[in-house]
């Protein structure tokens, strides 16, 4: 997504954006330098079961207080950023990227606990927030692949939780209102994921880079996080994935292998994944606009 394209969309999407924690303080880690070089990232798209949560009446669906366990994935290496530390710990306007969504979840009444999947050398970033949050804080070790990290986090989840909410800590700008929508949809359907309709024309190509066909943009969505799944369903999915030795690129794909429907909850285009230096600049711009309008 280009910087110009996103800026054109910001005027209508940032007026209600509030991403700074109530007790926001700037912080940095000694020896961690903000040095990086850029590459272009690719969007992940979904083409099945396309529906918009705005068209569904969730009035009878109520997510209970303290009924959601969040698995915050913060163990990635972030090689595309070209920095000397994982991208989720780079400072974004003075605060580590991972803490933005961490604080967003910690302030939601539906959330009972946050399981941070991270390298132990970075756990102090989250430990230092304990006096500012009203949720339980747990940790688990990252795995080799994303699905291994999710499985690791799942082992620490309270067995009484009604929903497991999996989020990529490199998405700092997720809005609580979008999280609430996807939680309701997951409680109703069993599995739901935030996504936005694709803006660009997408073409399928062969191995020699010749166009095979142009895909219908009206059926294409870019997947985001959080991805929310009922615990029993997620556990059954992992049993199948582990038994069959399957590899999945996102969390709801685990459920898709069970042939269970997955609902796409329409989110916000500002919920970007910070993968490259360009993404970091865009995130800073969004936060600055939010600060100016609040």
């Amino acid at each position: 997504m280009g910087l110009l394209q996103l800026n054109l969309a910001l005027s209508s999407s940032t007026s209600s954006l509030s991403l700074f924690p109530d007790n926001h303080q700037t912080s940095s880690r000694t020896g961690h330098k903000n040095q990086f070089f850029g590459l272009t990232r690719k969007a992940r798209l979904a083409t099945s079961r396309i529906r918009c949560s705005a068209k569904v009446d969730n009035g009878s669906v109520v997510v209970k207080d303290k009924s959601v366990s969040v698995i915050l994935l913060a163990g990635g290496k972030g090689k595309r950023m070209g920095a000397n530390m994982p991208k989720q710990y780079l400072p974004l306007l003075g605060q580590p990227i991972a803490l933005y969504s961490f604080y967003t979840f910690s302030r939601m009444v539906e959330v009972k606990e946050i399981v941070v999947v991270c390298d132990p050398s970075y756990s102090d970033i989250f430990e230092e927030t304990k006096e500012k949050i009203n949720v339980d804080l747990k940790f688990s070790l990252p795995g080799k692949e994303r699905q291994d990290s999710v499985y690791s986090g799942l082992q620490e989840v309270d067995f009484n939780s009604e929903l497991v909410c999996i989020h990529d800590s490199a998405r700092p700008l997720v809005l609580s209102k979008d999280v609430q929508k996807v939680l309701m949809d997951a409680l109703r359907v069993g599995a739901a994921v935030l996504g936005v309709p694709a803006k660009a024309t997408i073409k399928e190509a062969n191995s020699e880079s010749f166009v095979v066909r142009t895909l219908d943009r009206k059926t294409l969505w870019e997947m985001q996080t959080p991805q929310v799944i009922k615990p029993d369903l997620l556990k059954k999915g992992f049993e199948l994935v582990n038994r069959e030795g399957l590899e999945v690129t996102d969390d709801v794909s685990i459920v898709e292998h069970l042939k269970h429907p997955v609902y796409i909850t329409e989110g916000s285009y500002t919920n970007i994944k910070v993968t490259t230096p360009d993404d970091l600049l865009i995130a800073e711009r969004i936060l600055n606009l939010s600060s100016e309008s609040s």
Side-chain angles (χ1 to χ4, degrees):
M1 181 183 296
L3 179 59
L4 177 59
Q5 181 183 7
L6 181 60
N7 281 340
L8 291 174
L10 288 181
S11 59
S12 61
S13 62
T14 58
S15 58
S16 61
L17 192 63
S18 180
L19 294 152
F20 291 102
D22 295 334
N23 297 320
H24 171 72
Q25 295 179 346
T26 59
S27 62
S28 62
R29 288 175 61 88
T30 302
H32 291 173
K33 298 178 181 179
N34 190 4
Q35 297 176 346
F36 34 74
F37 304 93
L39 291 172
T40 302
R41 69 181 177 92
K42 297 180 180 178
R44 185 182 300 120
L45 301 173
T47 59
S48 60
R49 297 186 176 91
I50 306 301
R51 293 176 288 176
C52 172
S53 64
K55 299 177 181 178
V56 176
D57 181 11
N58 275 331
S60 60
V61 178
V62 178
V63 180
K64 299 176 184 176
D65 291 359
K66 301 295 183 181
S67 66
V68 177
S69 293
V70 174
I71 297 178
L72 186 65
L73 301 176
K77 301 298 183 182
K79 295 179 181 179
R80 282 180 287 181
M81 184 65 78
N84 62 351
M85 64 189 299
K87 61 181 180 290
Q88 60 271 23
Y89 301 116
L90 289 172
L92 173 59
L93 296 185
Q95 178 172 271
I97 288 172
L99 284 185
Y100 282 89
S101 59
F102 177 84
Y103 280 125
T104 296
F105 289 117
S106 71
R107 296 194 301 270
M108 297 185 66
V109 296
E110 298 89 348
V111 174
K112 70 189 310 183
E113 63 181 2
I114 301 177
V115 180
V116 180
V117 183
C118 71
D119 186 290
S121 63
Y122 290 98
S123 62
D124 62 307
I125 290 178
F126 304 96
E127 290 276 8
E128 292 170 359
T129 70
K130 278 189 173 181
E131 295 182 359
K132 304 175 186 178
I133 61 175
N134 294 313
V135 297
D136 294 333
L137 177 60
K138 300 178 179 178
F139 293 93
S140 68
L141 296 175
K144 182 179 179 181
E145 305 294 341
R146 178 191 176 91
Q147 67 194 69
D148 302 320
S149 294
V150 174
Y151 186 78
S152 175
L154 184 61
Q155 307 315 302
E156 303 298 324
V157 165
D158 189 317
F159 65 87
N160 289 318
S161 294
E162 295 184 1
L163 293 171
V164 177
C165 176
I166 305 161
H167 187 65
D168 189 335
S169 64
R171 291 186 183 271
L173 309 182
V174 65
L175 300 175
S176 57
K177 67 176 184 178
D178 289 338
V179 177
Q180 289 169 337
K181 288 194 301 181
V182 73
L183 290 178
M184 289 190 292
D185 287 334
L187 188 62
R188 177 175 55 84
V189 177
V193 53
L194 279 185
V196 289
K199 290 182 177 180
T201 297
I202 309 296
K203 293 184 183 290
E204 180 182 343
N206 61 22
S207 59
E208 297 178 343
S209 297
F210 285 100
V211 172
V212 174
R213 60 172 175 155
T214 300
L215 302 178
D216 184 0
R217 187 169 57 190
K218 293 191 295 293
T219 67
L220 298 176
W221 290 63
E222 180 181 349
M223 295 296 91
Q224 301 179 342
T225 65
Q227 304 193 8
V228 188
I229 307 168
K230 289 185 176 180
D232 289 343
L233 192 59
L234 184 57
K235 291 174 183 177
K236 289 179 182 178
F238 266 117
E239 289 174 1
L240 175 62
V241 166
N242 293 334
R243 185 171 62 248
E244 302 294 334
L246 303 173
E247 292 187 4
V248 295
T249 57
D250 68 353
D251 314 307
V252 292
S253 295
I254 297 171
V255 176
E256 291 172 27
H257 283 292
L258 294 173
K259 308 301 181 184
H260 189 283
V262 175
Y263 192 87
I264 299 176
T265 304
E266 186 164 8
S268 303
Y269 286 100
T270 52
N271 183 21
I272 64 171
K273 184 174 182 180
V274 178
T275 304
T276 69
D278 285 345
D279 298 327
L280 193 58
L281 292 174
I282 293 171
E284 290 177 354
R285 177 61 175 158
I286 295 171
L287 285 171
N288 283 329
L289 287 174
S290 172
S291 178
E292 292 170 4
S293 62
S294 62

